[in-house]
Amino acid sequence: MIPAVLLLQFGPWQFNVMGLYVIMLLISPLILLALTRGKVVWVLAATTAVYVVGTVFRFRILPSQFEDSFPLLVWQVLFVLGLVGGYYRRTIVAWLSGHRWAVGVCAAVTMAFAVMSWGNPYLANEFDVRLVLTSDANYRAIYDRFFGRTYLEPGRLLNVLALLVTVYAFLTAYWKPIERAVGWLLIPLGQCTLYVFIMHVVLIAVVANIPALQQGNVWLNTAAYAAIVALLWVMVRTRFLFRVVPT
């Protein structure tokens, strides 16, 4: 079992995305080298081609556990686009500032997908306050074809990109009041995202073994999750196990 854990072939299912993260970190120096040499078009073309191949043919190239939920050929596209976006952040922000119609389009797409998600039959409950835009069977067919998670179908990828632009624009426009309201909570957590992710997996395992939190009580579960977020914030502020757990 130990060799399987060390080779990222075995571990808690909530933690399996870390395998993808490790592989992409190993590849990132090559991507950054290409960007420093002005090969951004080649980088974008390569990541798009690999994404298409992974989505169409759906094969795995590694025996690691993370490939079951986050196929490398598909999910690499978000990591690479994130690197490109970060490297050219000022250029992208300047372009969007001069082409606000693009931000408006992204906001409209984000809102449209949000309305669509309101009718999700997978989340039906006893209150059933969904916005039923189509039959459940048709919704599931559309969702599975264009918004499936495992292979990051095109609709889901578009949703991520549109939401990113929309949220970034919103935070830019209203940063001061947002910072005053929730900056004290979210900024420390955001500055230590890897630590927060690793530690929250441990806390999830604890929650999963508390019978009272498995009954679907909205208020009790909300309080429990709020307590977990507060605990993570305290752990970050006190630098709990920072010398052991990467931040």
Side-chain angles (χ1 to χ4, degrees):
M1 180 179 295
I2 293 178
V5 172
L6 295 177
L7 293 174
L8 303 178
Q9 296 173 345
F10 178 81
W13 67 265
Q14 299 97 334
F15 200 69
N16 57 17
V17 70
M18 289 300 297
L20 173 67
Y21 184 72
V22 169
I23 298 301
M24 293 311 303
L25 281 181
L26 294 175
I27 300 174
S28 59
L30 297 177
I31 301 172
L32 291 173
L33 178 62
L35 294 179
T36 60
R37 295 185 176 182
K39 305 295 184 181
V40 61
V41 174
W42 288 98
V43 170
L44 292 176
T47 189
T48 302
V50 172
Y51 166 76
V52 171
V53 169
T55 302
V56 173
F57 296 102
R58 300 193 172 190
F59 63 87
R60 55 195 296 169
I61 62 176
L62 296 175
S64 303
Q65 181 184 1
F66 77 86
E67 286 265 28
D68 293 332
S69 301
F70 302 95
L72 177 60
L73 295 181
V74 174
W75 282 82
Q76 55 78 29
V77 70
L78 288 181
F79 188 94
V80 176
L81 290 179
L83 282 182
V84 173
Y87 191 87
Y88 290 99
R89 182 179 64 85
R90 293 182 180 178
T91 302
I92 294 173
V93 170
W95 188 88
L96 290 174
S97 298
H99 300 79
R100 296 189 178 183
W101 60 267
V103 177
V105 170
C106 289
V109 171
T110 299
M111 291 300 298
F113 285 152
V115 171
M116 178 181 175
S117 69
W118 191 7
N120 189 347
Y122 295 103
L123 300 178
N125 53 47
E126 65 272 19
F127 300 106
D128 202 15
V129 292
R130 294 175 296 134
L131 179 64
V132 182
L133 301 174
T134 184
S135 67
D136 288 356
N138 191 41
Y139 187 101
R140 288 189 172 94
I142 295 174
Y143 183 91
D144 293 340
R145 177 63 184 85
F146 297 104
F147 298 92
R149 187 200 63 80
T150 300
Y151 285 94
L152 194 62
E153 300 295 350
R156 182 176 287 265
L157 177 58
L158 175 61
N159 186 29
V160 171
L161 298 178
L163 178 62
L164 178 63
V165 173
T166 302
V167 172
Y168 190 96
F170 180 81
L171 290 175
T172 300
Y174 301 100
W175 174 245
K176 289 185 178 180
I178 293 174
E179 182 185 18
R180 286 195 297 267
V182 295
W184 60 272
L185 172 66
L186 299 182
I187 292 176
L189 296 178
Q191 291 173 334
C192 303
T193 50
L194 182 56
Y195 171 89
V196 170
F197 174 80
I198 293 172
M199 298 308 293
H200 105 283
V201 171
V202 178
L203 297 176
I204 284 177
V206 174
V207 168
N209 287 279
I210 299 177
L213 298 178
Q214 313 307 316
Q215 306 302 316
N217 186 311
V218 174
W219 296 108
L220 180 60
N221 289 358
T222 299
Y225 296 142
I228 288 175
V229 172
L231 177 59
L232 287 169
W233 183 84
V234 171
M235 293 165 66
V236 168
R237 298 295 293 180
T238 59
R239 304 178 67 84
F240 179 71
L241 292 181
F242 267 31
R243 293 185 178 182
V244 179
V245 181
T247 59

